[in-house]
Amino acid sequence: MIKARRERKAQSNTMRRSKLSVRIAFITILSSLFSILALEFIYVYMQGVVEDYEHVIDVDLNDEELMDSIMVDMHQHQGMVFEHMVEPEKIARQEIMDEAALVEKRLKENMMTLGESVRGTEYEAVFHDIFSDMSTYVKNVKLVVDMTKEHKEQTANVYMVNELIPLVQDMDKQVEKLGDMIHNNVEEVKIKVKSDTDMMRIITYAVLLLLVLSSAFNVSYCIRISNEMVSRDLLTGVANFDHLINVGEKLGKRNRLKNYSGLAISIKDFKFINQEYGSVIGDIVLKSYATALNEKLIRGELLCRNGGDNFLALVEKERVESYLKEINKVPVDVGDKLGLTVTSRCGIYQIAEDDTIYDMVNAGLIAVGETRTSGAQDYVWFRRERRDEMIRRKDILNGYHRAIDEEEFVVYYQPKVNLRTRTLCGCEALVRWIRNGELVPPGSFIPVLENDGKVQELDFYVFDKVCRDISDWQRRGLQPVRVSSNFSKLHLHNKEFAEDVLAVVDKHGADPYYLETELTESSGYEDFNALTHFVSEMKEAGIHTSMDDFGTGYSSLSLLRDIDMDVIKLDRTFLRDQYDAKEEKMVENIVRMIHDLNRHVICEGVETEEQVEFLKRVGCTMAQGFLFDRPLSREDFEKRLINPYYD
């Protein structure tokens, strides 16, 4: 039943995202097609407007010019004929007629051009009347000229008045009629062009408006999908930490956060599940478990993944008890007929009226941390007396940036000793906080800074001081030893972690030979690929790498095989019973295996000579601990560099 609900919910989320994606794609394609069609329509519409305008310019106005030219030539020709009649000299008459012949030729050419232009138009009938009058006029002009040559001027004058002048006048009327028709047509075309232009402007605005609306619609859908992707954990599909913070802040502003309890939930023995069944099965367990937790929430409640196998939830106060019963044991089907029952640890915090979402998160994490130390209890309610602890954590976080700026953090160096020669062979850089003249224990502020992510900045602060000191010692003629600097596993989430480390080295010109970067064993199985990449980059740059806390996790042996670190640091738990033969044999074999893999081995926490003898017997020749030196200030460590021998 649970599996079916889980599958239905997963399918529902997938279908919802798919529908949104299809809608965006459909609207985008539709908008693109509409834009193309609209542009094509506007282009065709514009072509019609342009053609009308060109017709006015190239045809109608040209026709008007031709008619004006024709009438000018007609009147000029008529004047020449009259001048020919009254001219007494024969030679002068001939010159007049030669010039008239040129005008007549031009007149005929213009008439032919006009005829071609108006052919098939409404102007053609009027043109024929004009052409007929011109043809009759030309014929009658010859009669008048012949009468003049025969000295019949009086007859020619009468003929001209009765025949030629009426023809010219009729041509004037016909030309004026044609001109009016062309003028009216031009005005109609102008009105049409203006109307079409206005319509085209409206269409363009409509297209632009539709495109804007379509774009806004697409953007809104894209924002919805982006917000959903940004607010969701990619592996499990539930909300991520940022989304929980946003929701919590909104509830706080509306004074509704106090209606909820905060739950910090983690899977019991999840590291063992990863080790036993592999990371693929581990991911399936995480997804199935997250889905099961999420399905048991009601509207208004929220579950988020806080990294790894850790979850945070906002649950209504009156539902907390019933919710805890439902998540106590969750069956998980991981395929291949393999079923697991997942149990959890949970820290519960009753949110008070003046609490923020960050108070809830911190209190829940404190409470779930208490389940790991309480032994029998899997569910722990945050005790009010722990509020002082929260206040202390806030005080540390609030004072952190000032401490960085004013260099209240000081680097101490704890020597590493070669047990065969009893000489200094290296050291570990440790940070100390000198606040208001008093030493703040590292255990009280390092976990707080790590939980808040600020420890990453502090790590680089220490590493910067280490590189500076190494360069300074070499410049002053002091022979350095290799210094290991601790880096939190949180750095592995930074894809440019290695580049940032090398940038600090280059900044101070420190010799990579004297540098060693140290990460805990748990870094390997939380982000194996990132750790492998980082170790490879350090090795290429000539910087050593070391694994701290070896032996405290489940995947120690596989990490030894798969990650090429230079130094393995044995946890102090290996020294718990140096008089037990089985214990000694086990440690001896581990040390031999590390040496066979061409790695160095060192043990921390050495406090007695008996432990030194034990380490020598098992083949471990390097150690650090209070037997030799506590962490030393820079000045005291420089004295140890000058005198590296231990009695």
Side-chain angles (χ1 to χ4, degrees):
M1 189 71 178
I2 293 176
K3 182 180 178 183
R5 286 205 309 268
R6 182 174 68 239
E7 290 177 350
R8 285 197 300 271
K9 188 164 185 178
Q11 290 174 356
S12 176
N13 289 334
T14 302
M15 289 179 61
R16 182 169 170 269
R17 290 193 182 99
S18 299
K19 286 180 179 179
L20 288 174
S21 301
V22 169
R23 287 177 186 174
I24 291 175
F26 176 75
I27 294 170
T28 301
I29 294 172
L30 191 63
S31 301
S32 301
L33 290 175
F34 176 79
S35 301
I36 294 171
L37 292 175
L39 291 173
E40 184 66 22
F41 176 78
I42 292 173
Y43 173 77
V44 173
Y45 204 88
M46 188 66 182
Q47 283 292 102
V49 174
V50 170
E51 288 175 2
D52 289 340
Y53 185 75
E54 287 178 347
H55 182 79
V56 170
I57 298 298
D58 297 338
V59 179
D60 292 341
L61 295 181
N62 188 47
D63 289 347
E64 285 188 332
E65 291 178 0
L66 279 174
M67 288 188 299
D68 290 341
S69 178
I70 288 170
M71 291 314 301
V72 169
D73 288 342
M74 281 293 297
H75 288 289
Q76 184 181 1
H77 191 273
Q78 181 185 351
M80 289 179 176
V81 173
F82 182 77
E83 187 179 354
H84 174 269
M85 288 171 50
V86 299
E87 177 60 49
E89 294 294 334
K90 185 176 180 180
I91 296 175
R93 283 182 179 175
Q94 187 59 45
E95 290 177 353
I96 292 171
M97 290 312 296
D98 291 341
E99 187 175 352
L102 294 175
V103 174
E104 183 179 337
K105 180 181 178 183
R106 186 169 64 240
L107 182 62
K108 290 179 178 179
E109 290 175 351
N110 287 339
M111 285 296 291
M112 292 297 294
T113 302
L114 182 61
E116 290 293 330
S117 178
V118 301
R119 181 176 298 165
T121 68
E122 68 270 27
Y123 309 137
E124 188 172 10
V126 180
F127 169 77
H128 284 313
D129 292 339
I130 297 172
F131 186 79
S132 177
D133 287 342
M134 188 199 75
S135 300
T136 304
Y137 168 81
V138 171
K139 292 178 182 179
N140 289 337
V141 163
K142 291 181 179 180
L143 293 175
V144 171
V145 172
D146 290 340
M147 291 178 188
T148 303
K149 289 180 179 179
E150 295 173 359
H151 303 289
K152 299 178 180 178
E153 289 81 357
Q154 188 68 29
T155 304
N157 184 55
V158 173
Y159 191 82
M160 184 173 183
V161 171
N162 293 332
E163 297 295 336
L164 292 184
I165 290 177
L167 283 172
V168 173
Q169 290 175 345
D170 188 59
M171 280 185 66
D172 280 338
K173 292 179 182 179
Q174 295 299 330
V175 167
E176 184 178 357
K177 179 180 178 181
L178 183 58
D180 290 341
M181 291 176 66
I182 293 174
H183 178 75
N184 292 335
N185 193 32
V186 168
E187 290 302 317
E188 290 178 2
V189 171
K190 285 181 179 179
I191 293 171
K192 185 175 181 299
V193 167
K194 184 178 183 305
S195 175
D196 290 345
T197 303
D198 292 339
M199 180 60 68
M200 187 172 62
R201 184 182 296 111
I202 293 172
I203 293 173
T204 303
Y205 286 156
V207 170
L208 290 175
L209 178 61
L210 190 58
L211 290 177
V212 168
L213 292 176
S214 174
S215 300
F217 189 73
N218 284 348
V219 167
S220 67
Y221 265 93
C222 288
I223 289 174
R224 283 181 60 186
I225 291 180
S226 299
N227 288 339
E228 184 171 324
M229 293 179 66
V230 168
S231 63
R232 294 288 167 186
D233 175 65
L234 297 180
L235 175 63
T236 62
V238 301
N240 58 24
F241 181 76
D242 290 338
H243 186 60
L244 174 77
I245 295 300
N246 291 334
V247 171
E249 288 178 340
K250 291 177 181 177
L251 289 172
K253 290 178 180 177
R254 296 198 294 266
N255 199 30
R256 290 176 53 195
L257 187 60
K258 63 183 180 181
N259 300 331
Y260 295 86
S261 289
L263 279 63
I265 308 166
S266 65
I267 299 176
K268 288 184 68 175
D269 300 326
F270 182 70
K271 293 175 183 177
F272 173 77
I273 294 174
N274 261 342
Q275 174 66 20
E276 184 72 16
Y277 301 105
S279 59
V280 174
I281 297 297
D283 286 347
I284 294 175
V285 169
L286 274 178
K287 288 187 282 189
S288 300
Y289 184 68
T291 302
L293 294 185
N294 205 37
E295 286 178 342
K296 292 174 174 58
L297 297 176
I298 64 173
R299 183 179 179 85
E301 297 177 340
L302 180 65
L303 174 76
C304 88
R305 184 184 178 211
N306 191 31
D309 61 313
N310 302 305
F311 299 87
L312 295 168
L314 285 173
V315 179
E316 292 182 0
K317 288 183 176 179
E318 60 272 15
R319 278 194 4 96
V320 170
E321 294 289 348
S322 61
Y323 186 73
L324 291 176
K325 290 179 181 178
E326 289 183 318
I327 68 171
N328 183 32
K329 293 182 179 181
V330 176
V332 173
D333 182 5
V334 294
D336 295 331
K337 300 181 180 179
L338 175 63
L340 298 174
T341 298
V342 178
T343 57
S344 59
R345 303 180 187 274
C346 185
I348 310 103
Y349 177 63
Q350 291 275 24
I351 302 174
E353 187 166 0
D354 58 343
D355 284 333
T356 67
I357 186 65
Y358 296 99
D359 294 328
M360 181 281 286
V361 172
N362 291 331
L365 293 177
I366 290 172
V368 77
E370 200 170 328
T371 65
R372 296 184 174 91
T373 58
S374 64
Q377 288 182 296
D378 288 337
Y379 293 166
V380 171
W381 290 79
F382 181 81
R383 293 169 294 163
R384 280 292 166 184
E385 54 266 28
R386 298 297 297 272
R387 181 173 287 274
D388 292 340
E389 173 67 14
M390 291 180 62
I391 293 173
R392 186 189 66 81
R393 292 169 66 90
K394 284 185 178 180
D395 181 56
I396 288 173
L397 294 174
N398 291 336
Y400 167 74
H401 288 294
R402 180 182 57 80
I404 285 285
D405 295 338
E406 298 183 8
E407 297 191 349
E408 292 181 358
F409 291 107
V410 180
V411 177
Y412 275 59
Y413 296 98
Q414 184 171 26
K416 298 177 181 178
V417 178
N418 185 315
L419 298 181
R420 290 174 180 169
T421 62
R422 306 283 282 201
T423 58
L424 179 70
C425 65
C427 67
E428 179 180 2
L430 301 170
V431 65
R432 296 294 182 263
W433 188 356
I434 311 298
R435 189 178 191 188
N436 300 324
E438 296 182 358
L439 179 67
V440 181
S444 67
F445 69 85
I446 292 293
V448 176
L449 296 179
E450 184 156 22
N451 183 62
D452 199 70
K454 290 184 172 61
V455 73
Q456 298 177 73
E457 182 183 3
L458 183 60
D459 288 344
F460 272 100
Y461 174 93
V462 172
F463 187 64
D464 184 89
K465 301 297 183 187
V466 168
C467 292
R468 182 201 63 185
D469 288 348
I470 289 175
S471 297
D472 181 62
W473 291 333
Q474 287 186 294
R475 187 167 50 253
R476 290 161 49 201
L478 283 175
Q479 179 61 44
V481 291
R482 182 169 291 124
V483 183
S484 63
S485 290
N486 291 283
F487 286 94
S488 167
K489 61 187 177 183
L490 298 176
H491 290 284
L492 296 177
H493 299 302
N494 175 16
K495 294 182 179 180
E496 298 179 353
F497 178 30
E499 289 79 356
D500 293 341
V501 169
L502 297 178
V504 177
V505 177
D506 293 339
K507 171 185 172 184
H508 294 285
D511 188 343
Y513 176 80
Y514 296 109
L515 293 171
E516 183 178 300
T517 55
E518 186 172 316
L519 291 103
T520 61
E521 178 194 7
S522 62
S523 305
Y525 48 74
E526 290 195 13
D527 204 335
F528 175 81
N529 292 332
L531 180 59
T532 303
H533 173 74
F534 175 74
V535 171
S536 174
E537 291 290 312
M538 292 299 100
K539 189 171 290 292
E540 185 176 343
I543 297 174
H544 277 56
T545 54
S546 65
M547 180 188 294
D548 193 12
D549 297 336
F550 178 79
T552 60
Y554 294 106
S555 52
S556 304
L557 297 181
S558 63
L559 287 179
L560 279 180
R561 178 194 62 199
D562 298 330
I563 300 180
D564 190 18
M565 284 190 164
D566 300 288
V567 180
I568 305 300
K569 181 180 284 189
L570 298 181
D571 187 70
R572 67 183 64 219
T573 56
F574 283 96
L575 300 173
R576 61 192 168 192
D577 192 358
Q578 63 265 30
Y579 299 108
D580 184 275
K582 292 181 179 179
E583 182 81 11
E584 181 174 331
K585 198 64 178 177
M586 182 191 72
V587 177
E588 181 182 2
N589 286 329
I590 290 174
V591 171
R592 183 185 300 113
M593 178 181 61
I594 294 173
H595 284 154
D596 289 344
L597 292 172
N598 294 319
R599 289 155 171 75
H600 300 290
V601 60
I602 184 173
C603 187
E604 62 182 349
V606 177
E607 299 180 356
T608 67
E609 285 292 346
E610 288 79 5
Q611 291 173 338
V612 170
E613 293 305 316
F614 171 78
L615 290 175
K616 285 182 178 180
R617 290 197 305 271
V618 299
C620 178
T621 58
M622 286 192 298
Q624 70 181 80
F626 290 172
L627 174 64
F628 304 104
D629 264 321
R630 291 181 178 273
L632 303 175
S633 67
R634 175 183 171 180
E635 292 74 15
D636 290 338
F637 185 71
E638 287 180 358
K639 295 175 183 177
R640 179 57 69 186
L641 287 175
I642 296 171
N643 180 21
Y645 301 100
Y646 289 88
D647 295 333

